Structures are given as C-alpha cells and as structure tokens.
Amino acid sequence: EVKLVESGGGLVQPGRSLKLSCAASGFSFNDYWMGWVRQAPGKGLEWIGEINQDSSTINYTPSLKDKFTISRDNAQNTLYLQMSKLGSEDTAIYYCARAPMGMDAWGQGASVTVSS
Amino acid sequence: DIQMTQSPSSLPASLGERVTISCRASQGISNNLNWYQQKPDGTIKPLIYYTSNLQSGVPSRFSGSGSGTDYSLTISSLEPEDFAMYYCQQDASFPLTFGSGTKLEIK
C-alpha cells in the first residue's frame, strides 16, 4: 500500500522557519517525482513545487520560490519542505504527493499555523 | 502561468443525478488535466489523470473529457459519498495550477 505521512507541522512565530517531512512507503520512492501542495483555511489547493527523482530538477510556484525549499533523501524515503520567513499567509495544511500521472497519492496533511 | 477557471463554484444535486463540472484553461494544455476529490476531513483522492484516465479504484460513474482549453468531469449517477469538493489541475507546464474548486452538495 502506498503511504505518505507528513510530520513537523505546528505553531510557529512569524519570521521563523519550519521544516516538514513526508515519509513514503509502499513504493519505490526513488522512481518518482514528488511534490507539495498547500491549502489555507477555507481556500483552494495551491501547488508549491515538485522535485524529480535525483533532485536535479526542482520546480516552484514563483511566489514561493524564495521562501520554500524542497529536497529529498532517497535513502530515507523522505521528502522535505523547508519553509523560511513564515508569515500569517503561510498558515495552511501542507500535503505531500506522488507525482507521476497527475498527483496519484496524497498524504493526510500537516497543519502549520503562523502566529505570535 | 496558466489560469484554471472552474465552474460552477457550487452545485446542488440529488442522489442518482448526472452532474458535470467544467474547467477552462487560459491557454491550451494538450489534455494535461487532472481531477481530484476532497472530503470535508481534508482527505484528497485523485480521480482522473490526462483528461479521461481513471485512477486506480475510482468507480466507473466518474468520467472526464475535453481538449484544448475546455475540460469536464462527469458523475453519471450521484452516490452519497460523492458529495465533496472537486478540483481540476493542469500539469502541462510549470507552475502547475489548480482550479478554484466546485462544492458538490446535496439539494
């Protein structure tokens, strides 16, 4: 069974950083592109970015490119999202997803709240 | 960036009814259009990829069609579990973009 489990969410102060993890199991992690999507409270889905199998290509939505960094550790079957200079607008549920045909598997999401 | 315009934003419907949700891209996306379902608890389920291909385990009452800039998701006969949010997404070019969503609700 394909499984994606996000962790690392929580309450963070404005201006601080936070790193999310996504543990993958049930498939050959290093064969797939992986990505992150977020959803602010009461809003729609926003694509953050995707990383290819060997980390040689990473694409971001332009508005987040300078704040967020996607990385992966194929030995640990783990995807990461490093978020910096967080503001209230970054309060959201953050989902990781596998990305071969569309995004064909999703995690349950990690909640991030930016507040003082 | 490619903008995705989804309609309607809200769709009241009855059990057993046939419904269609539309998605229009701001430029041609060559069938690179996917559909997702989101339940109130936040769970996201992939439904369709590349316009018309059902993801594994998706019931055959779901279908997708379209070309160029115009795409649609059809549910042939609504079941209780189908009342949820639906999103389209283009993956023709980066950055990938989603439609604003359609809330399918019980009439």
Side-chain angles (χ1 to χ4, degrees), chain B residues 2-24:
Chain B
I2 298 176
Q3 308 304 315
M4 304 302 293
T5 302
Q6 197 172 330
S7 62
S9 57
S10 176
L11 180 55
S14 303
L15 288 171
E17 189 174 340
R18 177 186 179 94
V19 297
T20 297
I21 299 169
S22 298
C23 191
R24 173 169 289 176

Side-chain angles (χ1 to χ4, degrees), chain B residues 12-103:
Chain B
S14 303
L15 288 171
E17 189 174 340
R18 177 186 179 94
V19 297
T20 297
I21 299 169
S22 298
C23 191
R24 173 169 289 176
S26 59
Q27 63 190 73
I29 55 172
S30 303
N31 293 107
N32 291 289
L33 190 285
N34 311 306
W35 292 96
Y36 304 91
Q37 177 193 69
Q38 185 177 34
K39 291 294 183 74
D41 69 356
T43 302
I44 297 173
K45 178 181 180 180
L47 294 176
I48 287 173
Y49 66 98
Y50 200 64
T51 297
S52 59
N53 297 278
L54 263 60
Q55 294 280 4
S56 176
V58 174
S60 59
R61 64 180 180 273
F62 290 89
S63 63
S65 64
S67 64
T69 61
D70 294 321
Y71 299 85
S72 62
L73 170 70
T74 297
I75 309 173
S76 60
S77 179
L78 284 170
E79 297 285 338
E81 61 268 28
D82 298 338
F83 293 94
M85 285 291 294
Y86 291 84
Y87 293 93
C88 62
Q89 179 209 37
Q90 68 80 20
D91 59 1
S93 65
F94 292 113
L96 307 192
T97 44
F98 288 91
S100 56
T102 295
K103 185 174 184 179

Side-chain angles (χ1 to χ4, degrees), chain A residues 73-111:
Chain A
D73 183 339
N74 287 342
Q76 298 294 323
N77 292 337
T78 303
L79 176 72
Y80 300 102
L81 179 65
Q82 175 71 53
M83 304 182 289
S84 63
K85 304 173 190 172
L86 287 165
S88 58
E89 68 279 7
D90 299 311
T91 293
I93 304 293
Y94 287 76
Y95 296 93
C96 68
R98 192 176 74 168
M101 304 171 298
M103 301 181 109
D104 75 341
W106 293 65
Q108 84 290 348
S111 177

Side-chain angles (χ1 to χ4, degrees), chain A residues 58-77:
Chain A
I58 309 173
N59 294 290
Y60 297 94
T61 199
S63 62
L64 299 176
K65 185 179 174 119
D66 294 333
K67 286 179 54 167
F68 289 4
T69 301
I70 296 173
S71 62
R72 65 192 293 164
D73 183 339
N74 287 342
Q76 298 294 323
N77 292 337

